[in-house]
């Protein structure tokens, strides 16, 4: 879905650089522009999948450990979560 949408937007040429794909093909400045577009889309999708996967795994780990810590000491859990949130926003 995402790859098709990005390719269609590129081929339609939204913005000031209209029909970039066709201009590259006709002028011959770049070899195989369609192949390069596909590779860029593949790289983008792989990076996005990795980010979402890592974010989900980290969120689940934090929630799991927070539940265990909350059972041990609710105050320590609250302080730890606040410390992590503030540290994230400051950094």
């Amino acid at each position: 879905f995402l790859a098709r949408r990005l390719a269609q937007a590129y081929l339609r040429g939204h913005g000031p650089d209209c029909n970039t794909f066709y201009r590259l093909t006709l002028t011959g400045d770049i070899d195989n522009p369609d192949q390069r577009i596909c590779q860029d889309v593949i790289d983008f999708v792989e990076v996005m999948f990795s980010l979402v996967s890592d974010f989900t795994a980290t969120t689940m780990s934090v929630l799991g450990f927070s539940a265990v810590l909350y059972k041990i000491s609710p105050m320590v859990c609250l302080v730890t979560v606040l410390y992590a949130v503030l540290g994230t926003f400051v950094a």
Side-chain angles (χ1 to χ4, degrees):
F1 169 73
L2 182 61
R4 185 178 335 147
R5 185 174 175 190
L6 288 173
Q8 286 174 351
Y10 185 81
L11 291 174
R12 286 187 193 132
H14 294 297
D17 296 328
C18 294
N19 300 325
T20 304
F21 172 77
Y22 296 107
R23 282 191 291 113
L24 288 173
T25 302
L26 293 176
T27 60
D29 291 340
I30 297 177
D31 294 333
N32 299 325
D34 54 337
Q35 200 170 26
R36 290 180 182 216
I37 294 168
C38 289
Q39 187 60 44
D40 288 344
V41 170
I42 289 169
D43 293 341
F44 174 77
V45 170
E46 286 176 353
V47 168
M48 288 306 295
F49 179 78
S50 174
L51 285 174
V52 169
S53 176
D54 290 345
F55 179 77
T56 303
T58 302
T59 302
M60 291 299 144
S61 294
V62 167
L63 290 176
F65 287 120
S66 294
V68 171
L69 185 59
Y70 186 80
K71 287 182 180 180
I72 295 171
S73 173
M75 187 58 153
V76 172
C77 180
L78 178 66
V79 170
T80 305
V81 169
L82 287 175
Y83 176 77
V85 169
L86 289 173
T88 300
F89 286 119
V90 169

